[in-house]
């Protein structure tokens, strides 16, 4: 089954998380803006104009915030992977691209980000 060409894009989700390998990073949440692309079939929603036929943007955002508030990983790679796994729990989301930004993580670098792409075919 090929991935759909339709997608929903959420850019700049204002999340915060305790994430990092250094002790000073483990004391309080830091901003980790998150971008998502949700690959799904939007034909029914486009035809019906019915919100029940699409993905709940607010619910997706709440999932991201919940993962960020509870996980506390060392790596943003782990944060991105966990978000992807949680979102793929909705079978209507056939694939997801997750980008987690960690601005200011390295002196002299404006932003560091991890982007990963996962699909239902890879989802356990």
């Amino acid at each position: 089954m090929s991935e759909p060409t339709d997608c929903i894009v959420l850019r700049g989700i204002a999340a915060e998380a305790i994430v990092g390998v250094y002790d000073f990073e483990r004391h309080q949440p830091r901003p980790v803006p998150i971008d998502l692309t949700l690959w799904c079939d939007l034909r029914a929603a486009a035809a019906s104009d019915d919100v029940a036929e699409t993905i709940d943007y607010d619910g997706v955002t709440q999932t991201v915030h919940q993962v960020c508030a509870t996980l506390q990983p060392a790596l943003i790679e782990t944060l991105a992977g966990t978000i992807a796994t949680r979102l793929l729990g909705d079978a209507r989301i056939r694939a997801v691209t997750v980008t987690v930004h960690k601005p200011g993580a390295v002196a002299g670098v404006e932003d560091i980000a991890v982007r990963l792409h996962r699909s239902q075919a890879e989802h356990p």
Side-chain angles (χ1 to χ4, degrees), residues 79-99:
L79 185 59
T82 302
I83 290 168
T85 297
R86 289 282 303 277
L87 293 174
L88 288 171
D90 183 337
R92 297 172 302 164
I93 299 173
R94 304 258 301 275
V96 62
T97 302
V98 180
T99 305

Side-chain angles (χ1 to χ4, degrees), residues 12-92:
I13 297 171
E16 290 192 344
I18 293 177
V19 59
V21 296
Y22 300 111
D23 186 54
F24 71 87
E25 297 179 295
R26 311 294 305 161
H27 297 292
Q28 67 183 45
R30 66 178 299 137
V32 287
I34 296 174
D35 305 324
L36 301 174
T37 303
L38 310 173
W39 301 93
C40 47
D41 187 342
L42 299 175
R43 289 176 290 190
S48 69
D49 197 33
D50 182 353
V51 69
E53 297 288 345
T54 192
I55 306 299
D56 177 2
Y57 314 151
D58 186 52
V60 166
T61 302
Q62 288 178 24
T63 297
V64 168
H65 285 292
Q66 192 274 333
V67 170
C68 288
T70 59
L71 189 60
Q72 300 187 6
L75 303 176
I76 57 175
E77 291 86 343
T78 303
L79 185 59
T82 302
I83 290 168
T85 297
R86 289 282 303 277
L87 293 174
L88 288 171
D90 183 337
R92 297 172 302 164

